[in-house]
Amino acid sequence: MSGLLLEHGPQTAAELAARLGISPAAVRRHLDALVATGRVEERQVRDAQRGRGRPARSFHLTDAGRSTFPHAYDDLALTALRYVAGVGGPDAVRAVAEQQLAGLERRASDAVERAVNAHPGEPVDRAQALAAALTAEGYAASASAISSGGQLCQHHCPVAHVAAEFPQLCEAETAVIGRLVGTHVQRLATIAHGDGICTTHIPGPLRTGNRSAPARPVRGERAAPASAPTSTSTTPTNDRERTPA
């Protein structure tokens, strides 16, 4: 049903029934199910050839309905970044990654600030607030405390296939996380390199500043003018994200 709407555009139940060779009533049952899931919407359309009477009702694919069909976004992104890398080198790819994450950083920063402002005078876990903000962005994130600080886990990566070839995306994202929690952070695992989840170690205690610079800039990030105390955590590091694919 959705395939016919994609191929032939908006159609009435009668038109779909004629194409499928089944009764309009059966078509309506299928269409009602698609409308209920948000994949199809029903609209009234006046047809001059019908003359007077009740307008015809046609069915249209929604954006959600179109998203169920295969896309080639990863291929397009890879092609674009390969061209950028060929013309401008790794720094140009890094600039694209930072630009792509700028909007996410702004939205997540606002969400973290709202969480802090909602509990004045209370110790608010910024990593937990950031995890909620990232989940809203599609990262399925969670945060937990460990003996040496905390861990931020992202169970989904929207750009994993692209980041496997261009680690600058992971590096830029790590820098964003560090700025949002207010301390230098360290990536321990990434989905882009075959791990089950993206795991980021956050040494404690955390500072309260939302946009303060990391204690040490991660690779590819400009050093901040203000210095901050370094962590004494003994958690082992994993620099695989910095190894080109």
Side-chain angles (χ1 to χ4, degrees):
M1 197 78 66
S2 297
L4 288 176
L5 293 176
L6 180 71
E7 182 178 357
H8 299 285
Q11 297 173 73
T12 65
E15 290 170 336
L16 288 168
R19 290 184 184 278
L20 294 170
I22 58 178
S23 69
V27 167
R28 286 291 313 202
R29 287 195 294 272
H30 288 291
L31 289 171
D32 287 344
L34 291 171
V35 169
T37 60
R39 297 180 180 181
V40 169
E41 63 182 4
E42 188 175 5
R43 301 177 187 172
Q44 289 187 350
V45 180
R46 284 201 173 275
D47 187 346
Q49 295 181 354
R50 290 172 61 94
R52 294 180 178 273
R54 191 169 66 178
R57 303 183 70 84
S58 64
F59 294 85
H60 302 240
L61 272 183
T62 63
D63 289 341
R66 291 181 181 278
S67 69
T68 62
F69 292 91
H71 296 283
Y73 296 145
D74 281 356
D75 291 343
L76 177 61
L78 281 170
T79 299
L81 285 180
R82 285 168 183 163
Y83 177 80
V84 169
V87 172
D91 287 343
V93 175
R94 183 172 293 107
V96 171
E98 291 172 349
Q99 178 64 34
Q100 191 270 334
L101 287 166
L104 182 145
E105 180 175 5
R106 182 175 60 254
R107 293 188 298 272
S109 176
D110 291 342
V112 172
E113 281 303 310
R114 285 195 298 270
V116 172
N117 294 335
H119 302 85
E122 298 180 22
V124 177
D125 190 333
R126 303 181 74 83
Q128 291 284 358
L130 176 56
L134 290 176
T135 294
E137 297 282 343
Y139 286 83
S142 61
S144 59
I146 58 175
S147 59
S148 58
Q151 280 192 167
L152 179 71
C153 296
Q154 296 156 254
H155 300 267
H156 175 66
C157 176
V159 295
H161 290 92
V162 181
E165 183 170 338
F166 294 98
Q168 292 93 333
L169 274 70
C170 290
E171 294 170 8
E173 186 180 275
T174 303
V176 166
I177 292 172
R179 289 193 292 271
L180 290 171
V181 298
T183 188
H184 175 72
V185 299
Q186 207 159 38
R187 272 283 165 85
L188 304 180
T190 62
I191 295 173
H193 288 83
D195 299 297
I197 57 177
C198 295
T199 305
T200 305
H201 174 60
I202 306 171
L206 301 183
R207 299 198 301 273
T208 57
N210 188 33
R211 291 186 180 275
S212 54
R216 298 187 304 273
V218 296
R219 181 177 172 184
E221 182 187 9
R222 296 185 181 88
S227 60
T230 58
S231 167
T232 58
S233 169
T234 58
T235 301
T237 64
N238 184 332
D239 291 328
R240 283 184 295 166
E241 73 169 55
R242 299 181 174 87
T243 303

